[in-house]
Amino acid sequence: MAARSLNYVDQVDTDDPAAAAMAAGRTAERHVTALYEAHALSLARLALLVLGDPAAAEDVVQDAFLGLYRRWDRLSAPAAALPYLRASVLNGCRDAMRRRSRPGIVTEEQPLESAEAAVLHTEEHRAILAAVRRLPARQREAVVLRYYLDMTEEQAAKAMRVSRGTVKSATSRAIAKVGQMLKEGS
Amino acid sequence: MSTLEDDIRDALRDEATRLRGVRPLRLQPAGPVGRQALPGRRQALPGRRQALPGRRQALPGRRRARWLRTWMPPLTAAAMVVALAISLVTAKSIRGEGGAPAVSPALGRYGIPRFYVTLPAPGLSGQPMRSLVVGDTFTGAKVATVAAPKGTQFTGVSAAGDGRTFVVEAMPAPRSAVPAVSAVRQGIHGPLTWYLLRIAPGTRAPARLTRVPISDRAQASPATGIWGFALSGSGRQLAVGLGTGGFNGPLALRVYSVATGQVTGSWPAAAGSLTAGLSGLTWVNGDSAVGFGASQPGSRPVSGVLGILFARVLDLRARGGDLLKDSRVAWSLEAPGPHGTWSYVGPLLGCGFPYLTPTASAVVCVATSWTNPPGGMAATTHWAAFPAAVPAQGRVTCRITFSVPGQSKAVAVPQIYWMSPSGDTLVSSDGATSRIGIVRHGTFTPLPVDGANPADGDLAL
């Protein structure tokens, strides 16, 4: 659906710059809205896994789409929109984590697990999630991209804008650390 | 065998399902929009939180006690209301919302799922189906082979349609050589077990099988047969058509939560009320309703055997516990009288049960007819579509004919494995060979799918 709507082109009166600008705005809005409908939830889930806070995750995703909307006319191709959004969400998560750890700003409390989540999570999953949340940001991103989105090392490297080797080492360190934390916890 | 990576994957997917939706997108007018405004909005929250402890610190001694006396009753009442709301959400989750985690779907051309699962036919030897194969629908590449858990054999598979999530039916491996799928249909199986199969190509565990904890006495009886089953589009619910006593015996449609294995609804139909079992199970309108095909005794026979053939829709909110009373007819067909000339009955002859499309707007079916020219057989397969609102406007959407030299009897029954929401695109077998293909705009385009022999094997995508 989203891909189909990306092919839509407005009928624009090219002699009138104001009309052309308005039509371009409408086109961007339509495309970005279609992308939001198709991908917002999965991107918000990605952000949730990195940040651990649903409200902050939604904020990051809203920001990413707003950024895309503002830069729509500079996008090289419609197909570049999703990779741009993914990278933008990861950037947003890093910013949010930096803000949390900045001195002078009160850190938000770790959100309590809802009753619904408590039912879904087994004891083992809870321990794993807690361990993943304690990983350094880059390692956590690598783990989420590799194991939640099933990205290859190369795809994850593109999304994180780092080298493939970095993804590989971050992932293996993360796995080792999670294993260690689980061992210490048991 | 579970590795730490697999456990992390499962934990992340479970955690991701906490988020069930996002608020609507609010695009601000073009121009210098409030990019600075957004961080401000986020920072406002910690500020508000900060203010509360400050106020509490300013209430020492007696004032604090008075504050507590004043505010404790309403705060307690509010807490109870919140607790009740949480428990209701939890109960809802247990009833049917939990289960297979949602991951991004893997879809290809025309929205056809990228991966399929097949239970390779054991052939006429009737060897048990001890493994399943996951393949790429469009390239034919084999993604994984999964062995059946010890002591069992696979007997059927159904797909959520996202290319990622499947449910596999298994039963104890037989001592004698009986084709498994046939055995289940005849009601001579042992206790059934169900497994959720998740596909993640390109990872260390491209296919993971986990037990669905269904423990239902109705399925354990040796007299019970499974007419069919269908996994919902979200992968969270499983609809199963159960029957005892053959075609005319009592039937029931049961829905299970994939997460908990609990029966979330059961709709029985009295013996004799339906004359040809219960089949063609499909999910319509998302996870909210199940479509099924069946037939009732009628004044005029269709195809010489059936009375009124119909497709019905059961709204899962109906809790009456009666399959016929709780479902509505979405489409029906009664044979014409002796002088009737309904042109669309022709292709329907030999059709299996009608399949309702996911939007319940139409019914599709497929049938193969055979002739015996010298030296082999000739077959014609018809795919037909009938608008639910006007069954009389049914039409043949695709027709293929082919000859099968050296073959003297039909060995395959055509099947529809996937359909688009409107039903204009199908993935189906051709009815004469093991070919699987896309049926669209009057053409059959073969796919490189390793087709199961539909008589014994099974396939889902």
Side-chain angles (χ1 to χ4, degrees):
Chain A
M1 272 305 198
R4 210 170 297 154
S5 66
L6 285 173
N7 295 326
Y8 185 90
V9 178
D10 275 317
Q11 296 295 315
V12 181
D13 178 0
T14 48
D15 292 339
D16 181 351
M22 276 180 68
R26 281 198 304 272
T27 305
E29 187 172 338
R30 198 167 27 244
H31 289 165
V32 173
T33 305
L35 281 165
Y36 189 83
E37 282 166 9
H39 300 292
L41 182 58
S42 66
L43 288 168
R45 285 174 167 172
L46 168 68
L48 168 69
L49 293 174
V50 176
L51 291 173
D53 176 351
E58 281 197 58
D59 276 354
V60 164
V61 170
Q62 287 268 340
D63 279 3
F65 277 90
L66 197 57
L68 176 68
Y69 172 59
R70 295 174 78 241
R71 289 168 185 76
W72 185 259
D73 53 344
R74 276 177 272 165
L75 207 63
S76 59
L82 189 56
Y84 170 87
L85 283 168
R86 227 174 247 152
S88 191
V89 165
L90 290 176
N91 268 338
C93 290
R94 280 176 219 140
D95 285 350
M97 285 188 286
R98 266 198 293 274
R99 271 196 299 275
R100 275 185 193 175
S101 57
R102 199 179 298 161
I105 292 180
V106 176
T107 307
E108 289 217 34
E109 292 158 26
Q110 192 73 306
L112 287 175
E113 191 172 46
S114 69
E116 196 176 16
V119 170
L120 289 173
H121 294 160
T122 63
E123 203 57 51
E124 190 190 5
H125 283 184
R126 237 174 260 135
I128 290 171
L129 286 173
V132 169
R133 283 196 187 121
R134 284 165 60 196
L135 291 172
R138 183 172 281 184
Q139 291 181 12
R140 198 186 318 167
E141 275 177 30
V143 163
V144 169
L145 294 177
R146 294 278 287 118
Y147 296 111
Y148 172 63
L149 290 184
D150 289 333
M151 281 186 172
T152 61
E153 283 169 356
E154 208 160 327
Q155 289 167 333
K158 244 179 215 166
M160 291 171 68
R161 293 179 178 167
V162 294
S163 71
R164 192 179 159 184
T166 305
V167 171
K168 194 172 182 173
S169 62
T171 311
S172 68
R173 277 189 203 135
I175 297 297
K177 262 189 199 166
V178 169
Q180 183 67 27
M181 284 189 259
L182 293 177
K183 213 170 167 185
E184 285 165 4
S186 62
Chain B
M1 200 170 64
S2 171
T3 63
L4 180 56
E5 283 102 322
D6 294 334
D7 292 339
I8 290 173
R9 182 177 289 114
D10 284 349
L12 290 175
R13 286 179 180 171
D14 275 359
E15 168 70 354
T17 57
R18 270 174 71 190
L19 208 56
R20 297 263 167 87
V22 287
R23 62 173 176 261
L25 178 64
R26 296 185 67 175
L27 291 175
Q28 298 178 13
V33 280
R35 203 169 152 67
Q36 282 122 25
L38 285 168
R41 196 182 60 200
R42 279 198 299 267
Q43 282 168 10
L45 281 172
R48 275 211 311 262
R49 277 164 189 252
Q50 222 172 0
L52 280 172
R55 212 169 56 189
R56 276 203 296 272
Q57 279 162 15
L59 292 170
R62 275 193 309 188
R63 276 187 68 195
R64 186 171 189 166
R66 199 170 59 205
W67 185 89
L68 280 174
R69 269 201 308 276
T70 311
W71 288 102
M72 190 56 83
L75 284 175
T76 309
M80 285 173 70
V81 169
V82 170
L84 180 65
I86 288 172
S87 64
L88 286 174
V89 168
T90 307
K92 189 182 172 204
S93 165
I94 289 170
R95 217 175 61 199
E97 293 287 315
V103 289
S104 51
L107 306 177
R109 210 165 46 203
Y110 313 131
I112 296 170
R114 174 94 188 278
F115 303 104
Y116 68 89
V117 170
T118 181
L119 309 182
L124 298 177
S125 63
Q127 292 304 307
M129 294 185 285
R130 290 276 167 79
S131 63
L132 60 80
V133 175
V134 181
D136 186 311
T137 311
F138 297 96
T139 66
K142 191 187 281 189
V143 173
T145 301
V146 181
K150 196 177 174 188
T152 66
Q153 63 171 330
F154 294 127
T155 46
V157 60
S158 176
D162 61 358
R164 301 271 192 193
T165 318
F166 298 80
V167 153
V168 190
E169 176 198 53
M171 61 180 258
R175 294 190 186 97
S176 58
V178 178
V181 171
S182 306
V184 171
R185 299 293 177 264
Q186 288 161 18
I188 52 171
H189 57 77
L192 291 176
T193 44
W194 300 87
Y195 296 89
L196 184 66
L197 179 72
R198 293 168 184 162
I199 310 297
T203 65
R204 278 192 198 172
R208 281 174 50 78
L209 203 62
T210 50
R211 179 86 183 261
V212 178
I214 292 175
S215 170
D216 183 8
R217 273 191 206 166
Q219 288 190 11
S221 162
T224 304
I226 303 289
W227 284 108
F229 59 95
L231 181 61
S232 69
S234 72
R236 297 179 190 284
Q237 300 190 82
L238 180 69
V240 180
L242 295 156
T244 53
F247 283 114
N248 293 311
L251 299 164
L253 179 66
R254 290 194 154 201
V255 176
Y256 302 86
S257 158
V258 172
T260 65
Q262 297 293 313
V263 179
T264 58
S266 179
W267 292 267
S273 58
L274 299 173
T275 53
L278 183 66
S279 197
L281 292 185
T282 54
W283 284 84
V284 297
N285 303 326
D287 273 20
S288 64
V290 176
F292 62 94
S295 65
Q296 283 179 305
S299 55
R300 297 184 291 267
V302 175
S303 206
V305 180
L306 308 171
I308 303 169
L309 186 64
F310 55 76
R312 300 182 78 110
V313 175
L314 172 71
D315 187 332
L316 298 190
R317 287 170 301 187
R319 293 283 162 196
D322 184 310
L323 186 59
L324 294 182
K325 280 184 190 160
D326 289 344
S327 60
R328 67 177 172 82
V329 174
W331 173 91
S332 69
L333 176 69
E334 187 168 13
H339 306 294
T341 54
W342 288 359
S343 59
Y344 59 91
V345 172
L348 193 67
L349 292 175
C351 240
F353 278 100
Y355 285 90
L356 263 179
T357 58
T359 53
S361 58
V363 153
V364 294
C365 73
V366 57
T368 300
S369 54
W370 295 82
T371 55
N372 279 88
M377 294 200 69
T380 304
T381 297
H382 295 93
W383 286 268
F386 303 82
V390 200
Q393 288 180 3
R395 64 191 177 87
V396 173
T397 55
C398 181
R399 176 190 290 116
I400 54 172
T401 58
F402 37 88
S403 59
V404 189
Q407 190 169 300
S408 60
K409 64 172 184 174
V411 292
V413 177
Q415 303 266 350
I416 293 171
Y417 296 111
W418 178 88
M419 56 187 149
S420 62
S422 64
D424 66 348
T425 305
L426 310 172
V427 174
S428 173
S429 57
D430 68 7
T433 65
S434 292
R435 279 193 316 173
I436 309 283
I438 301 172
V439 179
R440 182 179 162 86
H441 294 166
T443 59
F444 178 88
T445 311
L447 286 166
V449 168
D450 181 15
N453 175 353
D456 286 334
D458 203 0
L459 184 141
L461 74 168

